[in-house]
Amino acid sequence: MNQQGLMGWIWLIFLIIILAGSVFVVGKSFDDLPGDFTYPVKQVMENLRLTANEVSFQGRASVYLDLAAERLNELQRMVTIRDKQSQIIPTLAKLQDQQQKVIANIERGHSKGDNVTAQITKLVADLKAQQIIFAELIYQVAEPNSSAFDKAIIQSEVTLDKVNELKNRY
């Protein structure tokens, strides 16, 4: 085999390794928690989902619902991992921000004529389930995280009231 052919094979093998590594990193990142090395890959993938739904407020509301559910899942897992405790409060804040974005997109979608009933129904169910989960998690963490969960329960009640107002209006 000549040197040019050998270089071609080396490049091909190199590209296969890079591609396989990328697939592994992206696949692994879906289970990552805040603070993990590949968590930023997970965030990029979430942002790509939002970008793909840029034209639809209804679609964006659905993606934000999924992202908020993922933050709740992360919180449940972080409570049991000692070195993740410092990430609880920022993750709670992100969850609440994503829920506010669900509401904003529901309102915008409704004003554009979108049928947002499914998103409202899912948000109500998610908020009720979240309150139960937060009430359980309070007793599994120390301060300041337990106070943060207590405040989050109150905030989710306020959010639930707001969503119920939307539900009654629409």
Side-chain angles (χ1 to χ4, degrees):
M1 185 180 297
N2 64 21
Q3 192 168 2
Q4 191 176 19
L6 181 61
M7 286 303 290
W9 278 106
I10 291 172
W11 275 109
L12 180 62
I13 292 170
F14 177 75
L15 289 173
I16 290 171
I17 291 170
I18 294 296
L19 180 62
S22 298
V23 169
F24 173 76
V25 167
V26 169
K28 186 211 172 302
S29 71
F30 289 111
D31 292 332
D32 282 354
L33 294 171
D36 288 348
F37 180 71
T38 55
Y39 190 75
V41 174
K42 181 178 184 176
Q43 292 174 310
V44 167
M45 298 305 292
E46 291 174 352
N47 288 333
L48 287 174
R49 284 185 62 204
L50 285 167
T51 301
N53 285 283
E54 190 68 38
V55 296
S56 166
F57 292 117
Q58 185 180 16
R60 285 182 73 80
S62 294
V63 172
Y64 278 121
L65 278 166
D66 292 345
L67 296 180
E70 179 59 24
R71 296 299 82 78
L72 183 60
N73 178 285
E74 290 171 357
L75 285 165
Q76 288 177 284
R77 293 185 349 218
M78 282 191 290
V79 163
T80 62
I81 304 170
R82 173 171 278 166
D83 67 335
K84 296 294 179 186
Q85 299 282 313
S86 64
Q87 297 294 324
I88 288 175
I89 293 174
T91 304
L92 265 172
K94 193 167 190 178
L95 171 121
Q96 291 168 335
D97 178 62
Q98 288 169 335
Q99 289 173 334
Q100 294 305 311
K101 289 178 179 176
V102 170
I103 293 170
N105 280 281
I106 286 171
E107 291 176 324
R108 289 183 193 128
H110 183 264
S111 71
K112 299 282 185 190
D114 290 350
N115 182 356
V116 291
T117 306
Q119 286 79 12
I120 291 174
T121 302
K122 182 163 180 7
L123 183 55
V124 168
D126 287 357
L127 286 165
K128 289 179 180 179
Q130 173 185 298
Q131 289 175 329
I132 293 167
I133 292 167
F134 285 171
E136 293 169 359
L137 295 179
I138 284 175
Y139 301 106
Q140 296 177 31
V141 294
E143 287 295 337
N145 291 329
S146 58
S147 292
F149 278 120
D150 191 39
K151 291 175 186 172
I153 291 171
I154 294 167
Q155 180 60 44
S156 65
E157 187 62 42
V158 170
T159 304
L160 185 58
D161 289 344
K162 184 175 182 177
V163 173
N164 280 323
E165 285 177 27
L166 291 176
K167 186 177 180 181
N168 293 333
R169 230 184 312 149
Y170 302 159

